[in-house]
C-alpha cells in the first residue's frame, strides 16, 4: 500500500511570478524528502488572518501612486500661470509638483522590480506619469497651447464650412494641407460626431490622448523581444520621459507617429518567418491591415512615410525579418500618392528638396529666428539636449553590456539607427534633428532600460542552472516568445570548497541607487525640456479675444501684418485674408523696419485696395517668441510699437493687456 501523503505533499506548489526570469533550480531535480508537518502546517489557519495582510501587501503600490497624484492635484490648484518668465512653466509650478514626480518615480522603480507585483501596477504608474506630464498644461492653461495647433484648427474649420480645401496656387504655404488632408478630414468628422463648435474645444487634451495611443504598439514591439516586464515597462517609462520634442500636440504628426509604430509592431510580430499555407493566409490578412495603416499615414503626413520606408528597408536586411511585402507595399502606396494627389506641391518644392540633399550642416542647423536667447531659454534648451544625450548614451551602454539582448533585439537596434540617414535628405524646415530623435526613441529607450537593470537581471543573462528569459526563437511562431534552451553549465572535474567572498556592500549600495537616481533625473529633466518654452506657446484669453476681434471685422482680401506667426488664430479665415510676418523677411528689410517702423510698415501695407483694410497686430505671443528665439529684443519691439502708436498713418482699433491692433488709414 502507498503511504498516506503529508499535508506538505498534498498542497499545491506556489505559483512562480511572471517576471521574465525562471527559477535557478532545475524542476527535474529530485525533491528532498519531506519531514513531518510542523505545528503551524498541521493546524488549520484562519482565512481572515492570512488574506487580509496579503491583500494589504499586494496593494501597497497604490500608496505612492495615489500620493503622487494627490501632490500633483495640489500643485495644479496652487500654480499661477498669469505671468510666465523665460523658464516657462518650470518656475511657475508649485514645489509639490516636483515632489509628486519624485514619489511617482520611486514607487514605479520599486514596483516594477518586485516580482510579486502584477503587471497592471507598472501600467498604472506609466499612465500616472503621462497624466502628470501631458495633462498639467491642459488643466492649468485656459486656452490651448501652440500656434501650430491653432493653425490646424483653422484648416479643419475651413473644411467644415466650405466642404473642401483650396488649390495650391491660391494658398502658398498652406498648400501642404491640401495635398495631405487625411488628419484634417478625420478631425472634421470627429468635430461633427462630438457636436462641438470646433477642434479647439478638445485639442488642449490632445497631447495626453496621442501619448496614450503610443503605449499599445510600443508594448507589442517590446514584448516581441522579451517577456521581462521590468525591461518592458522601464523602456516605456524612458520613452515617455525622453519624448520631449513636442510632436504630441494637435497635429498630423502625432497620429502618423502612432500609426508608424503600429506598422512596426505588425511587421516585427507577423512577418519574416516562413510558414505553412495557413500561415500565409493569415499573413494576407495582416497585409490588408498593414495597407490600411500605411494609407492612413501617407494621406496625412509628408515625412513619416519616408521614415517608415527607411526603417522597413533596414529590417528587411536582417535574416529574421527578410520579408519584402511590407516594404514593397509601403513604397507602392507612397509613390502612388506622391505622383497623383501630392504632385502639385512636390513639383513646386522639388528644386529646394534636391538642393538640400547632402547638405548635412544646413539640415541640422536651426537658422535665424530659432536660436534660444536669454538665460531661461538657453537653460531649458540645454536641459532638452542633455536629456536626449543621456538617453542615447544609456542606449549605447545597454547595447555594449547586454550581448545576448543585443543579438536577440537586433531589429530594435536597426529601428533606432534607421532614421539617421534622413539628415542627408532634408532640413524639414529646421526640424529634422528633432524628428530624427523622436523616431530613434522607441529603439533607444529599450536598450537604455537595459543599461539601468543589473546585469544579472537582464534577459539572456548566463546564470548557472537558469533558463534564458524568452524572446522569439527560430522555431517560434511569429509574434510569440518562448524560453530559449537552458544555459550550458561549465563542467567541473571535482568539487572545490567555496571561499568567502570579500565584502561588497558599498558597491552593491552604489549600484542599487545609481539606476533609480538616473531614472529620477531623466524624469525631472522632462519638465523643462517639454514646458520650458511655455511663455512662447501659451496665449492668454485676452490675446485670443483680440485676434478674434480682428477677424470678425476684417473685410475680404484684407492684410494682417505682424512680427511673426506666433499668436492664436493666426490662420483664421486664411482663405479670404492675407498675412505678412515681417520677421520672416530678409534681414536687411527687418533692419529697415527697426530704423523707421511706422514709415516702412505703412509702405509695405499701402498696396491693399478698398474696401479691404490693412491691419498691424502686435501681441504678447509675438513678443515672447521674438525675444526668446533671437529675432528682435524687447527694446526693439517697444520701439516698433511706439512708432506705430505715434504715427498719424495708423489708427488704433483695439488694445488690452495681451496686445494691440492698428489699422492703416486709407489716406496713407
Amino acid at each position: 500500500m502507498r503511504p498516506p501523503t503529508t499535508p506538505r505533499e498534498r498542497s499545491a506548489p506556489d505559483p512562480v511570478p511572471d517576471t521574465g526570469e525562471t527559477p535557478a533550480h532545475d524542476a527535474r531535480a529530485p525533491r528532498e524528502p519531506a519531514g513531518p508537518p510542523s505545528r503551524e502546517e498541521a493546524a488549520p489557519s484562519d482565512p481572515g488572518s492570512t488574506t487580509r495582510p496579503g491583500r494589504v501587501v499586494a496593494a501597497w503600490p497604490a500608496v505612492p501612486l495615489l500620493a503622487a497624484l494627490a501632490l500633483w492635484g495640489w500643485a495644479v490648484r496652487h500654480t499661477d500661470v498669469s505671468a510666465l518668465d523665460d523658464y516657462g512653466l518650470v518656475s511657475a509650478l508649485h514645489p509639490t509638483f516636483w515632489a509628486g514626480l519624485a514619489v511617482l518615480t520611486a514607487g514605479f522603480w520599486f514596483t516594477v522590480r518586485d516580482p510579486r507585483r502584477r503587471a497592471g501596477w507598472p501600467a498604472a504608474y506609466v499612465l500616472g506619469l503621462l497624466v502628470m506630464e501631458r495633462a498639467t498644461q491642459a488643466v492649468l492653461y485656459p486656452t490651448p497651447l501652440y500656434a501650430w495647433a491653432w493653425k490646424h484648427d483653422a484648416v479643419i474649420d475651413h473644411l467644415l464650412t466650405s466642404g473642401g480645401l483650396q488649390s495650391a496656387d491660391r494658398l502658398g504655404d498652406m498648400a501642404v494641407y491640401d495635398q495631405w488632408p487625411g488628419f484634417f478630414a478625420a478631425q472634421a468628422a470627429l468635430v461633427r460626431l462630438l457636436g462641438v463648435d470646433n477642434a479647439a474645444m478638445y485639442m488642449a487634451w490632445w497631447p495626453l490622448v496621442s501619448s496614450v495611443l503610443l503605449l499599445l504598439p510600443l508594448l507589442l514591439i517590446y514584448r516581441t523581444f522579451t517577456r521581462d516586464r521590468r525591461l518592458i515597462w522601464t523602456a516605456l517609462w524612458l520613452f515617455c520621459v525622453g519624448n520631449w520634442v513636442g510632436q504630441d500636440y494637435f497635429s498630423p504628426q502625432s497620429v502618423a507617429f502612432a500609426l508608424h509604430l503600429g506598422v512596426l509592431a505588425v511587421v516585427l510580430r507577423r512577418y519574416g518567418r516562413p510558414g505553412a499555407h495557413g500561415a500565409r493566409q493569415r499573413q494576407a490578412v495582416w497585409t490588408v491591415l498593414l495597407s490600411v495603416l500605411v494609407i492612413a499615414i501617407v494621406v496625412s503626413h509628408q515625412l513619416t512615410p519616408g521614415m517608415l520606408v527607411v526603417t522597413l528597408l533596414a529590417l528587411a536586411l536582417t535574416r529574421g525579418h527578410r520579408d519584402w511585402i511590407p516594404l514593397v507595399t509601403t513604397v507602392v502606396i507612397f509613390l502612388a500618392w506622391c505622383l497623383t494627389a501630392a504632385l502639385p506641391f512636390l513639383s513646386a518644392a522639388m528644386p529646394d528638396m534636391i538642393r538640400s540633399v547632402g547638405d548635412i550642416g544646413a539640415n541640422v542647423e536651426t537658422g535665424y529666428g530659432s536660436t534660444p536667447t536669454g538665460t531661461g531659454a538657453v537653460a531649458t534648451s540645454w536641459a532638452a539636449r542633455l536629456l536626449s544625450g543621456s538617453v542615447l548614451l544609456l542606449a549605447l551602454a545597454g547595447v555594449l553590456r547586454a550581448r545576448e539582448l543585443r543579438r536577440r533585439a537586433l531589429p530594435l537596434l536597426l529601428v533606432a539607427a534607421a532614421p539617421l540617414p534622413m539628415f542627408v535628405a532634408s532640413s524639414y524646415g529646421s526640424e529634422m534633428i528633432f524628428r530624427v530623435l523622436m523616431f530613434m526613441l522607441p529603439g533607444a529607450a529599450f536598450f537604455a532600460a537595459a543599461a539601468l537593470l543589473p546585469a544579472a537581471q537582464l534577459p539572456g543573462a548566463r546564470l548557472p542552472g537558469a533558463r534564458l528569459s524568452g524572446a522569439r526563437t527560430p522555431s517560434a511562431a511569429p509574434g510569440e516568445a518562448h524560453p530559449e534552451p537552458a544555459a550550458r553549465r561549465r563542467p567541473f572535474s571535482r568539487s572545490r570548497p567555496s571561499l568567502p567572498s570579500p565584502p561588497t556592500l558599498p558597491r552593491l549600495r552604489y549600484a542599487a541607487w545609481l539606476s533609480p537616481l538616473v531614472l529620477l533625473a531623466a524624469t525631472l529633466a522632462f519638465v523643462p525640456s517639454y514646458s520650458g518654452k511655455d511663455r512662447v506657446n501659451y496665449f492668454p484669453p485676452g490675446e485670443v479675444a483680440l485676434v478674434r476681434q480682428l477677424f470678425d471685422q476684417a473685410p475680404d482680401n484684407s492684410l494682417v501684418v505682424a512680427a511673426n506667426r506666433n499668436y492664436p488664430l493666426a490662420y483664421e479665415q486664411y482663405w479670404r485674408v492675407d498675412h505678412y510676418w515681417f520677421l520672416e523677411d530678409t534681414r536687411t528689410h527687418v533692419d529697415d523696419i527697426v530704423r523707421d517702423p511706422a514709415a516702412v510698415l505703412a509702405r509695405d501695407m499701402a498696396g491693399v485696395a478698398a474696401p479691404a483694410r490693412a491691419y498691424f497686430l502686435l501681441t504678447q505671443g509675438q513678443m515672447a517668441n521674438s525675444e526668446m528665439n533671437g529675432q528682435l529684443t524687447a527694446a526693439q519691439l517697444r520701439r516698433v510699437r511706439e512708432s506705430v502708436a505715434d504715427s498719424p498713418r495708423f489708427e488704433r482699433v483695439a488694445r488690452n493687456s495681451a496686445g494691440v491692433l492698428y489699422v492703416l488709414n486709407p489716406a496713407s
Side-chain angles (χ1 to χ4, degrees):
M1 294 180 61
R2 184 177 179 180
T5 58
T6 64
R8 181 187 297 271
E9 293 171 339
R10 288 195 301 266
S11 62
D14 294 332
V16 179
D18 183 14
T19 64
E21 296 181 83
T22 53
H25 67 271
D26 191 349
R28 294 172 296 180
R31 297 182 178 179
E32 296 181 0
S38 61
R39 180 177 301 176
E40 290 79 1
E41 292 173 333
S45 59
D46 182 11
S49 63
T50 58
T51 303
R52 190 175 298 108
R55 290 178 178 175
V56 172
V57 173
W60 82 261
V63 176
L65 177 60
L66 294 177
L69 293 178
L71 290 171
W72 172 75
W74 177 271
V76 296
R77 286 178 59 88
H78 295 81
T79 296
D80 182 15
V81 296
S82 60
L84 298 176
D85 58 15
D86 287 354
Y87 291 91
L89 191 59
V90 178
S91 58
L93 281 170
H94 194 272
T96 54
F97 179 88
W98 305 99
L101 267 185
V103 171
L104 187 75
T105 306
F108 168 79
W109 178 256
F110 291 108
T111 299
V112 78
R113 295 191 64 197
D114 191 343
R116 297 170 297 176
R117 306 303 167 200
R118 296 181 179 179
W121 284 116
Y125 272 92
V126 170
L127 290 175
L129 174 68
L130 290 179
V131 168
M132 296 185 68
E133 284 184 345
R134 265 75 181 186
T136 300
Q137 294 167 318
V139 174
L140 287 176
Y141 298 126
T143 58
L145 295 177
Y146 300 112
W148 289 96
W150 289 92
K151 178 180 181 179
H152 298 154
D153 178 51
V155 177
I156 297 168
D157 181 63
H158 180 43
L159 193 60
L160 287 170
T161 55
S162 65
L165 299 176
Q166 301 295 322
S167 58
D169 56 347
R170 287 192 57 189
L171 297 183
D173 61 348
M174 298 296 288
V176 66
Y177 301 117
D178 307 323
Q179 315 304 311
W180 285 271
F183 171 81
F184 306 105
Q187 292 299 325
L190 181 61
V191 167
R192 289 186 173 175
L193 179 65
L194 297 177
V196 295
D197 294 335
N198 48 50
M201 304 295 292
Y202 59 83
M203 68 184 185
W205 294 93
W206 195 260
L208 177 62
V209 174
S210 62
S211 298
V212 172
L213 290 177
L214 300 178
L215 295 182
L216 178 58
L218 282 172
L219 186 62
L220 293 175
I221 290 173
Y222 293 155
R223 283 183 61 86
T224 305
F225 303 102
T226 181
R227 285 182 175 178
D228 191 337
R229 66 182 180 91
R230 294 165 302 187
L231 179 58
I232 292 172
W233 290 104
T234 305
L236 284 169
W237 184 281
L238 283 174
F239 177 87
C240 292
V241 301
N243 189 20
W244 61 268
V245 295
Q247 297 305 314
D248 54 357
Y249 73 103
F250 188 70
S251 64
Q253 175 67 76
S254 62
V255 177
F257 186 52
L259 297 174
H260 169 85
L261 294 179
V263 171
L264 294 184
V266 172
V267 171
L268 291 173
R269 297 180 68 86
R270 298 299 173 186
Y271 285 87
R273 299 291 182 185
H277 178 67
R280 287 194 296 269
Q281 287 183 338
R282 289 192 299 270
Q283 192 178 80
V285 175
W286 288 109
T287 302
V288 173
L289 175 61
L290 187 75
S291 301
V292 173
L293 296 177
V294 172
I295 291 173
I297 295 173
V298 168
V299 303
S300 299
H301 199 246
Q302 315 88 47
L303 180 65
T304 305
M307 289 287 190
L308 182 59
V309 167
V310 296
T311 304
L312 293 179
L313 178 60
L315 291 177
L317 298 179
T318 62
R319 293 182 58 186
H321 295 83
R322 189 165 294 167
D323 194 319
W324 298 97
I325 293 178
L327 177 61
V328 172
T329 302
T330 303
V331 170
V332 169
I333 296 174
F334 188 27
L335 288 178
W337 186 261
C338 291
L339 296 176
T340 55
L343 187 59
F345 175 84
L346 293 176
S347 299
M350 190 60 67
D352 291 336
M353 295 172 63
I354 294 176
R355 281 193 296 268
S356 65
V357 173
D359 193 357
I360 300 178
N363 291 344
V364 299
E365 69 180 2
T366 55
Y368 166 69
S370 301
T371 304
T373 304
T375 305
V378 172
T380 55
S381 176
W382 274 105
R385 297 177 186 180
L386 291 175
L387 176 57
S388 293
S390 300
V391 173
L392 294 179
L393 287 177
L394 283 175
L396 179 61
V399 170
L400 295 178
R401 74 192 292 259
R403 180 178 179 182
E404 181 67 23
L405 188 66
R406 180 177 70 239
R407 179 192 63 81
R408 184 185 307 165
L410 176 62
L412 271 184
L413 189 59
L414 296 176
V415 168
L420 290 174
M422 298 301 291
F423 281 132
V424 182
S426 172
S427 67
Y428 200 70
S430 301
E431 291 187 4
M432 182 58 74
I433 186 171
F434 304 113
R435 304 303 176 96
V436 168
L437 285 173
M438 184 178 68
F439 282 93
M440 291 177 64
L441 191 57
F446 182 80
F447 288 99
L452 293 181
L453 295 178
Q457 297 181 4
L458 288 176
R462 301 281 180 167
L463 299 178
R467 295 179 180 270
L468 298 178
S469 60
R472 286 166 46 178
T473 62
S475 60
E480 298 296 332
H482 298 290
E484 292 188 359
R488 297 181 180 178
R489 297 183 180 183
R490 182 178 297 176
F492 292 92
S493 57
R494 63 181 182 274
S495 60
R496 298 180 181 179
S498 59
L499 298 177
S501 58
T504 58
L505 187 58
R507 181 179 179 182
L508 287 177
R509 284 181 176 177
Y510 174 76
W513 285 104
L514 179 60
S515 292
L517 287 178
V518 170
L519 192 68
L520 176 60
T523 305
L524 297 178
F526 171 86
V527 180
S529 304
Y530 186 77
S531 305
K533 297 187 70 174
D534 278 9
R535 183 186 168 215
V536 174
N537 298 323
Y538 167 58
F539 311 113
E543 188 169 357
V544 177
L546 182 68
V547 180
R548 198 177 297 278
Q549 181 179 351
L550 161 63
F551 287 104
D552 287 343
Q553 70 178 35
D556 290 348
N557 300 318
S558 293
L559 174 67
V560 177
V561 177
N564 51 54
R565 64 184 76 195
N566 191 65
Y567 55 94
L569 303 166
Y571 288 87
E572 185 77 1
Q573 303 178 22
Y574 62 90
W575 55 93
R576 69 176 191 89
V577 177
D578 294 329
H579 299 81
Y580 169 60
W581 299 284
F582 63 82
L583 287 181
E584 297 182 7
D585 210 328
T586 62
R587 187 64 191 182
T588 303
H589 191 67
V590 173
D591 292 338
D592 292 339
I593 293 176
V594 173
R595 279 193 297 267
D596 193 357
V600 178
L601 288 174
R603 186 181 63 214
D604 293 341
M605 302 164 63
V608 178
R613 306 295 301 273
Y615 298 89
F616 176 73
L617 176 69
L618 189 60
T619 63
Q620 175 179 312
Q622 298 174 50
M623 298 180 69
N625 185 77
S626 177
E627 294 175 31
M628 294 187 64
N629 288 326
Q631 293 177 329
L632 291 181
T633 64
Q636 291 172 321
L637 290 171
R638 282 196 301 269
R639 173 178 170 79
V640 172
R641 178 172 178 172
E642 292 170 358
S643 176
V644 172
D646 296 337
S647 173
R649 299 182 179 95
F650 293 89
E651 177 185 350
R652 193 178 70 196
V653 176
R655 182 181 66 180
N656 59 26
S657 60
V660 62
L661 174 65
Y662 292 92
V663 63
L664 183 68
N665 289 323
S668 301

